[in-house]
Amino acid sequence: VIRAVIFDVGYTLIDEKRQWAEWARELGVSSEQFMETLVSVIAERKHHRTVFARLRPNFDLNAALARRDQQESGIWTEEDLYEDARPALARLRAAGLQVALAGNQPPTAKRALERMNLPVDWIANSSELGFEKPAPEFFAKIAARAGSPAQQIAYVGDRLDNHVLPAQAAGMRGVFLVRGPWGKTHARWPEAAEANQIVSGLEEMERDELWPPYSPT
Ligand SMILES: [Mg+2]
């Protein structure tokens, strides 16, 4: 029985296209060129930071990240939420599940999520946990926070390498959400067959027999 559902954030609940378009402008390239390069980098199984090095070899990414973090620029707002995000969180919570968010993000991202008043029990991020996905310690820490054995936790994310497979290795149920540049690229990887569950939208989650029955009021 699943008692807690923990969500990744980027491309799981939040559509990051606006943020990536801002980065494209900062690099002086078109959004299309930026996204094409990002998809190539993902397909090559390289870190997304490679995109910056590839498009602007001398770009000081750390300085740009620090600047943006300080200005809280490019920070997520309600408009960046996928349409199915808030209803899915609310529905799962109404079904009696603990619902939480845990991603690899700086503290500003957590504050932005808190401002949205999402129907979740808690929000954690890598900067406060001291570990980033896919580290096993990240999943151990969020299981401890959920207060349930890993077997009673589902982790939902758009990446096989960072979310689904390491969550499953930690004993959780991995739910692979196929959307965004990672989801769509990873869906073609052979490892996609190892995912416990594959969905293309969050509304599909209530249809799975492993979730508690949901009766609309
Ligand atoms: Mg993500």
Side-chain angles (χ1 to χ4, degrees):
V1 180
I2 297 293
R3 299 196 188 282
V5 188
I6 307 178
F7 289 84
D8 167 56
V9 180
Y11 284 115
T12 297
L13 302 173
I14 294 273
D15 186 346
E16 294 187 309
K17 71 170 181 283
R18 186 177 62 86
Q19 280 199 311
W20 291 124
E22 284 177 15
W23 278 112
R25 268 198 298 282
E26 190 146 348
L27 291 175
V29 300
S30 68
S31 286
E32 292 75 20
Q33 190 186 354
F34 187 96
M35 293 312 288
E36 269 172 35
T37 311
L38 177 61
V39 168
S40 312
V41 162
I42 294 167
E44 291 166 37
R45 302 182 184 239
K46 293 199 167 89
H47 194 278
H48 66 260
R49 287 185 176 211
T50 308
V51 173
F52 297 88
R54 214 167 267 187
L55 292 171
R56 282 256 312 265
N58 298 317
F59 186 68
D60 189 344
L61 179 59
N62 288 330
L65 281 169
R67 190 170 63 242
R68 287 170 66 93
D69 201 46
Q70 200 167 27
Q71 297 166 345
E72 302 213 355
S73 70
I75 213 68
W76 298 322
T77 68
E78 184 77 26
E79 294 102 86
D80 299 316
L81 274 177
Y82 281 108
E83 274 183 22
D84 62 5
R86 192 179 283 276
L89 299 172
R91 193 171 57 241
L92 295 170
R93 205 165 181 225
L97 290 155
Q98 182 185 151
V99 176
L101 314 183
N104 283 349
Q105 275 104 31
T108 44
K110 180 176 173 178
R111 288 198 291 276
L113 292 169
E114 284 169 343
R115 280 197 290 271
M116 291 181 204
N117 285 315
L118 294 163
V120 298
D121 295 288
W122 50 271
I123 301 174
N125 65 14
S126 53
S127 47
E128 70 187 78
L129 296 171
F131 295 96
E132 289 204 331
K133 290 174 283 185
E137 292 90 346
F138 177 94
F139 293 93
K141 290 228 171 200
I142 61 173
R145 181 81 188 265
S148 288
Q151 291 71 20
Q152 296 178 359
I153 299 170
Y155 192 89
V156 186
D158 65 305
R159 293 181 58 161
L160 290 171
D161 56 352
N162 255 24
H163 311 144
V164 179
L165 301 178
Q168 289 180 190
M172 297 179 185
R173 176 173 180 79
V175 180
F176 177 33
L177 175 60
V178 180
R179 69 176 164 201
W182 278 272
K184 287 176 183 161
T185 307
H186 289 191
R188 294 193 291 268
W189 288 2
E191 304 97 289
E194 293 168 37
N196 292 143
Q197 188 176 351
I198 302 182
V199 295
S200 58
L202 297 176
E203 74 282 351
E204 287 174 39
M205 290 178 51
E206 69 174 295
R207 293 206 294 266
D208 191 274
E209 61 185 10
L210 281 150
W211 306 107
Y214 164 66
S215 46
T217 48

